[in-house]
Amino acid sequence: MPELNDHVKINVPARADYISVIRLTVSGLAYQMGFSYNDIEDIKVALAEACNNVVSHAYKYNEAGDMIVDFHVESDRLKIVVSDEGAAFDAKKLKKEATSLHGKSLDEIDVGGLGIYLMKTLMDEIEYDTGEKGVKVALTKYLKRDEVSESEPNVHQEITQP
């Protein structure tokens, strides 16, 4: 079981086949922290989107590079920082150009912009840090132990056979 202020770090090649390893890691940590099934699924989707951005945009075609994922376990939250040392993007420009998806059909939505929208929707906080070399995206999900719905599957209940 993770302890308060644990820090888990994964450094893998920035390739799509490593995203499943990262998703499995966050799933295990979030489960041990007591996150609900739905929150764990949200975290996995948001984290996969952040990792996909690294794989798709950080490094030039055929350029080798790493994806670093830091998991910070705190008493009331899980903070995940995904970073790379590839090409940075202009976060201010992206924020200016971002438009609401409300009322738009799927044909009108630019697929490239859905990842950031999903991360913002699924996580409690999202922060970008773009530097001269690389990008850091911090995703935070707060642990809400007292708000677990009875309709959610209980991922902590042991499965027993009658």
Side-chain angles (χ1 to χ4, degrees), residues 15 26 46 57 66 72 75 78 83 91 93 102 123 127 149 153:
R15 295 197 323 252
V26 78
H57 304 295
D66 289 336
H72 300 274
S75 62
L78 176 61
S83 57
K93 180 181 175 188
H102 184 72
M123 300 301 286
E127 301 168 41
S149 167

Side-chain angles (χ1 to χ4, degrees), residues 27-52:
S27 182
L29 286 171
Y31 169 79
Q32 291 294 324
M33 289 178 68
F35 278 96
S36 71
Y37 174 81
N38 287 339
D39 280 347
I40 292 170
E41 292 303 309
D42 289 351
I43 293 167
K44 287 173 19 183
V45 170
L47 179 55
E49 287 297 332
C51 292
N52 279 327

Side-chain angles (χ1 to χ4, degrees), residues 74-135:
E74 299 179 27
S75 62
D76 64 339
R77 75 192 80 174
L78 176 61
K79 182 175 182 177
I80 307 157
V81 180
V82 179
S83 57
D84 64 68
E85 294 181 346
F89 66 93
D90 187 347
K92 289 178 184 174
K93 180 181 175 188
L94 184 66
K95 194 171 186 176
K96 260 189 217 177
E97 293 174 355
T99 59
S100 171
L101 300 178
H102 184 72
K104 291 187 178 182
S105 73
L106 286 177
D107 295 334
E108 298 174 293
I109 297 172
D110 178 20
V111 175
L114 287 178
I116 292 171
Y117 174 79
L118 278 173
M119 287 185 279
K120 286 182 176 183
T121 302
L122 298 172
M123 300 301 286
D124 295 320
E125 293 176 7
I126 179 171
E127 301 168 41
Y128 300 97
D129 181 13
T130 59
E132 293 211 8
K133 186 163 185 159
V135 175

Side-chain angles (χ1 to χ4, degrees), residues 2-3 5-11 19 21-30 33 43-44 47 51 68-74 77-82 139:
E3 298 282 327
N5 295 323
D6 273 354
H7 176 216
V8 177
K9 185 175 188 172
I10 297 177
N11 187 341
I19 295 174
V21 173
I22 294 166
R23 284 174 51 96
L24 285 169
T25 302
V26 78
S27 182
L29 286 171
M33 289 178 68
I43 293 167
K44 287 173 19 183
L47 179 55
C51 292
I68 302 103
V69 183
D70 291 285
F71 304 93
H72 300 274
V73 176
E74 299 179 27
R77 75 192 80 174
L78 176 61
K79 182 175 182 177
I80 307 157
V81 180
V82 179
L139 306 167

